[in-house]
Amino acid sequence: MTARIFRLTTENRLMIADLLDGLDDTAWGAPTLCEGWTVHHLAAHFVQPMLIGFGRFFVTSFRYRGDTARTVDHFTRRLADRPRGELTALLRAHAADRVDPPRVGPMGPFAETCVHLRDIARPLGLDADVPVEHWRLLLDHLTSPSAAPGLTPPGRLAGLRLVATDTDWAAGEGALVSGPAEALGMAITGRRAALPDLTGPGVERLG
């Protein structure tokens, strides 16, 4: 399974590089679903795990009192000083890098390729997305006990029955939430923009 996740992550990175290369200056400056980040910031964030080693990240995190989100933002904004072409070239050059971060493992970078691609595409009104099978794999992880709190906050899925309408996938017990696998994955990871694509009595609780 790990080798498969690495392979799919590589495929997604290359697809994202193609998407980014096709966007104009206006799109690169457009906001994403990640608050405070433009498309340019997310392009930089995609290469951060390959360019910033754990040791450097760990040491820098002390500046932010161990706050992972603020440390990530620190490096993302500095990498975003690089021009567009350099960032997409780096993403292609490092697409096959096997990044295995502490706590989240290979599923962390894989999840980012799925979710952050849609963080870019949804606000721009683009259909660009990973294959539904990728979402099935990610949903299995997001609804498992091994999911990192940064992906699935503790308690978010309690009392919910999640059902994908575009693939054979379901998990949990309780109030129904149904919709496309992509929308489920985005909502689970805190993207309220995906909630209108879901139906069922549990949607309000998930939001």
Side-chain angles (χ1 to χ4, degrees):
M1 173 61 83
T2 298
R4 183 185 184 193
I5 293 300
F6 281 134
R7 177 175 58 81
L8 296 181
T9 302
T10 297
E11 293 175 3
N12 291 349
R13 287 171 179 158
L14 293 172
M15 178 177 63
I16 291 166
D18 288 341
L19 171 70
L20 291 171
D21 272 339
L23 300 178
D24 60 18
D25 289 340
T26 300
W28 271 72
T32 67
L33 295 184
C34 295
E35 186 176 357
W37 283 4
T38 64
V39 171
H40 199 133
H41 288 116
L42 266 182
H45 181 63
F46 280 123
V47 300
Q48 178 191 316
M50 293 86 93
L51 301 184
I52 308 298
F54 175 70
R56 183 180 173 190
F57 187 94
F58 180 73
V59 170
T60 303
S61 71
F62 284 108
R63 185 185 309 179
Y64 299 101
R65 299 184 179 181
D67 188 321
T68 299
R70 293 179 64 195
T71 308
V72 167
D73 185 73
H74 166 92
F75 284 115
T76 291
R77 292 186 182 280
R78 278 150 184 76
L79 288 170
D81 288 337
R82 303 188 184 206
R84 292 170 43 181
E86 182 178 345
L87 290 174
T88 55
L90 284 168
L91 185 54
R92 285 195 173 87
H94 292 277
D97 286 12
R98 295 191 164 198
V99 181
D100 188 0
R103 293 184 293 180
V104 296
M107 285 300 299
F110 173 68
E112 290 203 333
T113 61
C114 298
V115 174
H116 286 329
L117 169 58
R118 296 300 294 159
D119 284 335
I120 292 171
R122 273 180 169 267
L124 292 176
L126 301 176
D127 293 331
D129 196 0
V130 299
V132 69
E133 180 59 27
H134 294 209
W135 285 110
R136 285 188 59 182
L137 289 170
L138 182 54
L139 286 171
D140 282 342
H141 177 70
L142 294 176
T143 56
S144 73
S146 61
L151 288 174
T152 308
R156 170 164 287 171
L157 305 182
L160 295 177
R161 172 68 173 171
L162 307 171
V163 178
T165 54
D166 56 348
T167 187
D168 183 19
W169 183 88
E173 298 294 337
L176 178 66
V177 178
S178 64
E182 178 265 353
L184 288 172
M186 295 296 284
I188 290 170
T189 54
R191 276 65 179 177
R192 295 184 58 84
L195 294 178
D197 296 329
L198 302 174
T199 61
V203 172
E204 184 176 351
R205 186 184 308 177
L206 181 58

